Amino acid sequence: MHAGLGLRDRLAEGHRHRFPFPFPVRYRSLAIDSALALGYAGAGLLLGREQPPVGWQPLDELGAVLTVLVGLVLLARRIAPVAAFAASSALWVVFITCGYWPVVNSMPPLLGLYTVAATRTLRTSVACAAVVTGTWVYAGLANAENSSMPTVLAQAVLFPAVVFVVGRGSGRLAERNRQFAELTFQLRGQQEENARRALTEERVRIARELHDVVAHHMSVISLQAGMASYVFPTDPASSRQALDTIAGTSREALEEMRRMLFLLRVGQEDQSEGRADPDDPGALEPGGGAYAPAPGLDLLDRLLDRVRGAGVQVTMEVVGSPVRLPQGMALCVYRVIQEALTNVLKHAGPTSAAVIIRYESRTVVVTVTDEGSADEGSGDEGSGAFRPKTVITAGHGLIGMRERAKIYGGSVTAGPRAPGGFEVRLVLPAPTAGDRPDGRPAPGSGDARSR
């Protein structure tokens, strides 16, 4: 139940279980009860100064003391409802026995009955209501010569019954509100835990892909080192070129390791290999198992062909002079395009989409737009292809996109377009000269600017 709570949250939760009311609520309740006690005592004293009906004696010093005591008992009605009701009823009986007008002190016992009915069991509440009824009948019998017994009996039944019903309803409402508050608290903790789990799973997947990136670089380094050693005596120029390639490749691999370790430095708990996620963007990659090579921009054509085969007319355009992206950054671009097109398939159905890769002087901007579903014009809110609410609750695609972009100092924005449909925009800083050992165009981009 509290698996997703931190230590401070669990301590606060335990504190609430030990104390039924938080301290501000308890102080506020005490202030309200104090005002009620003083108000009832003052009202009783003012009412007692009036001329009582025939058969009842005016309020004297003893009656005033009893009136104040009956009112002050209300201070304990939340702490000990049954005891407070019993004390006020007993003082009320003494007040009636002394010959004073019963109406003067009738309100505190009724308020005590309301509190008991709202906080205690049905049996206890019925017993307290019977006490009020019996006291009311006793007051009528004490002045039977000047009282109308039918009226007394009607009041003895009606007043406690109304207070009893209202108190029971208030108690049920308070219990329902408490349950709703507890469920809301649990739901918030579960949502936070789900978000943390999604982030952890995404980081584990990125770490697995980093394994492929590093393995690729190390393979190149090993091959180039063997070649340099072989041709060193006969072809020093080729050996030097191989060493330059090794230097550039190792620098790129170290940069990838630095970025990924910065992300994963908080540590990961051991996790078993889970089942395939139907929302995993890897579903668009045939044969893409856990140890498959990490895809790059050279696989974009195959990705677009698979999306077209699924019924989405997608085009791609390359603007500017393509540059060779580091393997990890190319993987980030590929995954964002893949996730965006996956959500076009899931949420928009047959439509058209466009992928634009823009190489600028300082940034690389990737946008994926779609025209929206066929029923988008019907006025349904959020009918675009990539709905953030849907993705966050099913697949956590938007979380994964932003997490990937953040590794390389970039950002991802997603939202509906004014003309209709949806747009996903990825902005990454352009690689520096040190990140591009040979400065060649991105694999698969060629000279064509659009497809």
Side-chain angles (χ1 to χ4, degrees):
M1 172 179 173
H2 304 295
L5 301 181
L7 177 60
R8 182 179 301 177
D9 296 331
R10 288 196 295 269
L11 290 176
E13 180 68 12
H15 180 80
R16 283 192 291 271
H17 283 306
R18 289 194 300 271
F19 299 97
F21 301 100
F23 283 120
V25 176
R26 297 178 69 191
Y27 289 148
R28 184 167 59 250
S29 300
L30 182 60
I32 293 175
D33 290 340
S34 299
L36 285 176
L38 295 177
Y40 277 126
L45 293 176
L46 291 176
L47 184 60
R49 293 179 59 184
E50 298 181 3
Q51 183 65 32
V54 179
W56 303 107
Q57 65 179 14
L59 198 67
D60 54 14
E61 294 181 357
L62 177 60
V65 171
L66 292 174
T67 300
V68 172
L69 290 178
V70 172
L72 292 179
V73 169
L74 294 177
L75 291 172
R77 74 181 186 93
R78 296 179 193 263
I79 301 174
V82 178
F85 170 79
S88 62
S89 298
L91 291 172
W92 190 27
V93 171
V94 173
F95 186 81
I96 295 172
T97 304
C98 293
Y100 301 113
W101 188 21
V103 176
V104 174
N105 285 328
S106 62
M107 293 305 297
L110 289 175
L111 182 58
L113 172 60
Y114 168 85
T115 306
V116 171
T119 58
R120 293 299 183 263
T121 63
L122 177 63
R123 180 179 300 179
T124 303
S125 302
V126 171
C128 293
V131 170
V132 174
T133 299
T135 305
W136 214 288
V137 173
Y138 169 72
L141 294 176
N143 191 15
E145 297 178 356
N146 302 298
S147 300
S148 173
M149 290 308 298
T151 303
V152 171
L153 292 176
Q155 294 175 346
V157 174
L158 182 61
F159 291 170
V162 172
V163 173
F164 173 83
V165 171
V166 174
R168 296 299 296 179
S170 177
R172 286 192 294 268
L173 179 61
E175 177 64 18
R176 190 177 298 111
N177 291 338
R178 186 194 65 79
Q179 293 176 357
F180 285 160
E182 184 177 354
L183 290 175
T184 302
F185 180 79
Q186 296 177 9
L187 180 60
R188 185 182 300 114
Q190 184 177 1
Q191 290 175 340
E192 294 174 355
E193 178 65 19
N194 290 340
R196 282 191 293 268
R197 186 181 299 112
L199 184 60
T200 300
E201 292 174 354
E202 184 62 29
R203 288 178 174 178
V204 170
R205 185 167 64 177
I206 294 175
R208 187 166 59 243
E209 293 170 349
L210 175 64
H211 165 269
D212 297 331
V213 173
V214 174
H216 166 77
H217 287 83
M218 294 306 297
S219 298
V220 173
I221 290 173
S222 176
L223 180 62
Q224 294 292 330
M227 185 186 71
S229 176
Y230 180 75
V231 302
F232 182 77
T234 60
D235 193 353
S238 297
S239 299
R240 181 178 297 277
Q241 183 179 2
L243 292 176
D244 290 341
T245 303
I246 291 174
T249 304
S250 61
R251 182 167 55 249
E252 187 175 321
L254 288 175
E255 181 65 17
E256 296 296 332
M257 286 290 296
R258 184 189 67 81
R259 285 169 174 162
M260 292 303 303
L261 290 177
F262 175 78
L263 172 67
L264 302 174
R265 64 184 179 180
V266 295
Q268 301 282 350
E269 295 181 358
D270 294 335
Q271 297 186 15
S272 59
E273 196 68 29
R275 298 178 185 158
D277 186 355
D279 294 327
D280 195 326
L284 288 177
E285 296 176 11
Y291 299 100
L297 298 184
D298 54 292
L299 295 181
L300 280 178
D301 289 338
R302 296 172 56 188
L303 173 65
L304 298 181
D305 289 340
R306 287 191 295 272
V307 175
R308 294 187 187 108
V312 175
Q313 298 300 320
V314 57
T315 60
M316 189 178 79
E317 180 181 4
V318 178
V319 180
S321 300
V323 296
R324 180 179 181 271
L325 300 179
Q327 182 68 22
M329 188 176 291
L331 175 61
C332 175
V333 173
Y334 181 91
R335 288 303 191 195
V336 169
I337 295 175
Q338 182 187 51
E339 182 66 31
L341 294 178
T342 300
N343 282 278
V344 172
L345 292 173
K346 288 194 299 184
H347 301 302
T351 184
S352 60
V355 179
I356 301 177
I357 303 178
R358 185 184 301 274
Y359 294 93
E360 301 177 354
S361 58
R362 296 179 180 271
T363 58
V364 177
V365 181
V366 179
T367 58
V368 181
T369 59
D370 69 272
E371 300 299 329
S373 58
D375 59 348
E376 185 171 358
S378 61
D380 295 338
E381 183 179 355
S383 59
F386 192 100
R387 303 174 190 150
K389 181 177 180 181
T390 303
V391 172
I392 291 174
T393 57
H396 307 279
L398 188 57
I399 296 177
M401 290 184 186
R402 289 173 175 167
E403 193 69 14
R404 290 176 185 275
K406 187 171 64 175
I407 300 174
Y408 301 97
S411 62
V412 171
T413 57
R417 303 166 57 211
F422 214 85
E423 178 182 89
V424 177
R425 181 181 178 89
L426 166 67
V427 179
L428 293 174
T432 61
D435 292 330
R436 294 180 277 121
D438 51 12
R440 291 177 298 173
S445 61
D447 295 330
R449 295 300 178 88
S450 65
R451 295 181 178 89

